[in-house]
Amino acid sequence: MKFLGNIIATVIGIFVFLMLVFFGFIILGAIFGGDSDIVKVEKNSVIELNLENIALDYKGKYTDPLVSLLSKNNEVGFIDVLNAIEYAKTDDKIQGISILNNFSMLGLAQSKSLREKLIDFKKSGKFVVAYSNYLTQRDYYLNSVADTIYLNPVGEMEFKGLSSEILFFKDLQEKSGVKMEVIRHGKYKSAVEPFLENEISAENREQMTSLLNSVWSTIVEDISKSRKIAVDSLNLIATNLDARTPERALKSKLIDKIGYEDEYHDGIRHALDVDFDEDYKTIEIADYAQNFLTKPSKVSTKDKIAIIYAQGEILGGEGDVTIIGEGSMRKAIIEARKDKNVKAIVLRVDSPGGSALTSELIWREIEIAKKSKPVVVSMGNVAASGGYYIACNADKIIAEPTTITGSIGVFGAIPNMTELSKKIGINTSIIKTHENANNYSVFKPLDPTLKATITESIENVYATFLTRVAVGRKMTFAQVDEIAQGRVWTGTEALELGLVDQLGGLETALKEAAKLAKIKKYKVQNLPEFDKNFMEFLNEANSLPFAKSKEAYIKEEIGVEAYQTLQQIKKMNQQKGVQALMPYEIRIK
């Protein structure tokens, strides 16, 4: 037995030694090999605007130095892309930007910000060109800024207007015996409507129609300016599907050329004065952004503006890059507030909301922070419900025209399996010491007393939400209630209603923050930093170059959009307490 024990101990020792050596090499590589991973920018280069893996505004930072070292060097956030394009305007090594078969997962507000940045880039005299084998409506919105737009001769193009499809589960609940017990405040708070009705309500139809029309107006107005086509003509093209083939798209002047990819590259070679039998120099936008991020700041000042990114659903806890938690958010706001060199805070919000409690905790930290320095909110794709809650008390709120905001309302939803249990023969007995001791059972009908308690909680949260908005926006309770009720608005509509102060992107918010802080030069500090230990990091997708997580495999098998739906279901299961959450997700297809 002793001999066997010695063998096992030796094997374990060898295994531990090999693991230590293995991770030692990884860490040394991260420390000494970081700079070698940066792709150098060559003269006469073209940036390839590949956005397939770029969706989040902020890529995140970590308090654990080991996690920071091992984070993938080629990961950049959307804001890094915007800053890199700004820098490329004056970079004499960059001659233009190529949008080649772009498939982006950017939201509407991000797409608009990127369009404006590309339009500004072209003012430097450099070119922007685009080529697609298949042109989706979402990608065309971005590509329409290009000097020349190519479409493959056998390709297709979408340009048909916007729509939204909502599924209803009332009949399914009755047939299955599983139903959702729903309590809400806000006649437009339609997150729970699919569980209560078999068709869309008049209120929900009203807000959806208004929302889609407002978003579409912004889209066609932007395309109209870029392509010099009247808005009425664009609407007619969409109604009649007059851009569905390359020939129709060309005739409608939505594209400039029908051609193959090799012809597209020949056009770029001609613009660069490169021989047709030679390859021209290219660099991926992610690589170029990494180059930009490694350059030392030219701003000689101690003054800073802290950009605190609140992106994802508000779920509580520590939080992460895609989850807003009170832990990381409160620490970030407190750090920015106590740092004497931070002269202003910009809260960048891209969130459909979530936990009402967590929203209140973040709101409180903003309330304390703005007593010592200006706080400006920059709204991204979505800043609705809880996302608006954490923004409403800022000194200034700036949104994009296509930002989805508002949704000032709350709800609670809990599953009930009483009818299902009867069908399959499950019976439940409850023993308790006090009348309300058992709280809630999914196998019993919702108790009237419990329902009254939950309703009271919903009403209290709604009243608090409205009060926060009324005080923050200098409106009366009645004025807020009239435009609240869970209704969703675009940034353009929100400006007219007084829910936001100005239209614009993150740059506009930074300028406003600098103005309020009375500073002209400043550096930017990105927050929050997330607490994540080494083992947690190893368990995540693509943490190491050789690793592939279950999430990565699932995404490959079912596709990106189906994976996003799966993530939505997962988040629903994580919801606890009263929710201040946007009723639906809007995607342009």
Side-chain angles (χ1 to χ4, degrees), residues 19 27 145 159 178 182 266 277 287 331 337 351:
M19 290 299 291
I27 294 168
V145 304
F159 194 76
V178 179
V182 172
D266 285 343
D277 58 349
D287 293 327
K331 280 184 289 185
R337 171 167 58 86
S351 172

Side-chain angles (χ1 to χ4, degrees), residues 160-176:
K160 57 188 180 182
L162 308 181
S163 66
S164 178
E165 184 179 57
I166 303 171
L167 301 178
F168 294 86
F169 309 106
K170 184 180 179 182
D171 285 350
L172 176 63
Q173 291 178 115
E174 292 176 356
K175 292 177 180 178
S176 66

Side-chain angles (χ1 to χ4, degrees), residues 138-154:
R138 174 174 51 194
D139 291 327
Y140 180 73
Y141 177 54
L142 176 62
N143 290 13
S144 62
V145 304
D147 300 300
T148 308
I149 303 174
Y150 284 75
L151 184 58
N152 188 290
V154 292

